[in-house]
Amino acid sequence: MKIKGNTVLVTGGASGIGLSIARVFLENMNTVIVCGRNTNKLDQVKKQYPGIHTIRCDVSNTIEVTQMLDHLTPNFPSLNILVNNAGIQHQYDFLKDENALKKIDEEIDINFKAVARLTKIVLPNLVKASEAAIINVSSFLGIVPKSSAPIYCATKAALHAFSKSLRYQLQGTPVRVFEIITPLVDTDMTKGREDDVSKMSPDVLASNVLRGIE
């Protein structure tokens, strides 16, 4: 697949893996839009990378997603790559945590339901392109889960299955489906949790992603 001249939407693109992916697409002469929930982080992205377009959107909120697409469709009609990167991870005792029900809903809504919904909404535009892609940022924890984050691991397992099924369904269309099964990456999510020495840089991951897509 060509890695230049695309129009790319990256969810959760104001920091971490999402920002690194957005930056490497920008460096390869693509039009890049990032969305996120944190206005301050989006403002910092705009200051640091003026070429990146930013839009505030909570992808788990269906109204905000609809509003974002209403903005993108006329302003970026050539959108042909969707990077589903937004995600959160809670670590808690499933038996003892009094806020577990809230955390369950947050992780499922953002990590999986939002991906499926946004993909469905954007897909009619993607199939009109001569070449398009859906890139889902998954995790090795969806295959080898850890005890401290049961719902996060479950959502990544669901995303893994969804990506494979969607790839089968979209055979014969211009849309490719890529799944990034990430190793342990050095982001805000993993700070202070594991040995920093063994973590991959998000910039290295992003470069590998683009090379793999090509």
Side-chain angles (χ1 to χ4, degrees), residues 55-71:
I55 183 168
R56 195 210 165 275
C57 177
D58 178 352
V59 292
S60 67
N61 185 309
T62 54
I63 295 174
E64 291 187 17
V65 168
T66 299
Q67 291 172 341
M68 177 176 69
L69 268 296
D70 286 344
H71 169 76

Side-chain angles (χ1 to χ4, degrees), residues 32-187:
V32 180
I33 312 109
V34 302
C35 74
R37 298 186 295 177
N38 190 312
T39 303
N40 291 333
K41 286 185 178 180
L42 291 170
D43 289 342
Q44 288 301 314
V45 170
K46 195 62 183 174
K47 288 179 182 178
Q48 192 171 3
Y49 306 103
I52 294 180
H53 304 272
T54 62
I55 183 168
R56 195 210 165 275
C57 177
D58 178 352
V59 292
S60 67
N61 185 309
T62 54
I63 295 174
E64 291 187 17
V65 168
T66 299
Q67 291 172 341
M68 177 176 69
L69 268 296
D70 286 344
H71 169 76
L72 293 178
T73 300
N75 290 289
F76 300 95
S78 59
L79 177 67
N80 68 319
I81 295 180
L82 169 63
V83 182
N84 287 308
N85 166 75
I88 60 170
Q89 182 184 139
H90 293 307
Q91 298 201 75
Y92 56 96
D93 187 308
F94 206 74
L95 174 63
K96 299 176 182 178
D97 194 311
E98 294 180 356
N99 296 313
L101 291 177
K102 179 183 178 183
K103 293 174 181 177
I104 290 168
D105 287 342
E106 286 180 344
E107 288 183 299
I108 293 175
D109 285 349
I110 293 175
N111 296 354
F112 183 67
K113 287 175 67 177
V115 173
R117 283 197 304 257
L118 183 57
T119 299
K120 173 60 179 173
I121 293 170
V122 173
L123 198 50
N125 291 336
L126 299 185
V127 295
K128 296 176 184 177
S130 58
E131 192 173 48
I134 296 164
I135 303 169
N136 294 330
V137 179
S138 182
S139 170
F140 76 101
L141 291 173
I143 299 170
V144 185
K146 62 179 181 178
S147 65
S148 60
I151 300 302
Y152 176 84
C153 296
T155 59
K156 292 304 182 179
L159 186 56
H160 174 60
F162 173 68
S163 300
K164 293 188 74 172
S165 294
L166 190 63
R167 185 180 300 126
Y168 299 149
Q169 284 201 4
L170 295 178
Q171 288 178 355
T173 77
V175 185
R176 310 282 184 89
V177 178
F178 298 93
E179 181 187 7
I180 306 169
I181 304 178
T182 63
L184 189 61
V185 181
D186 189 12
T187 65

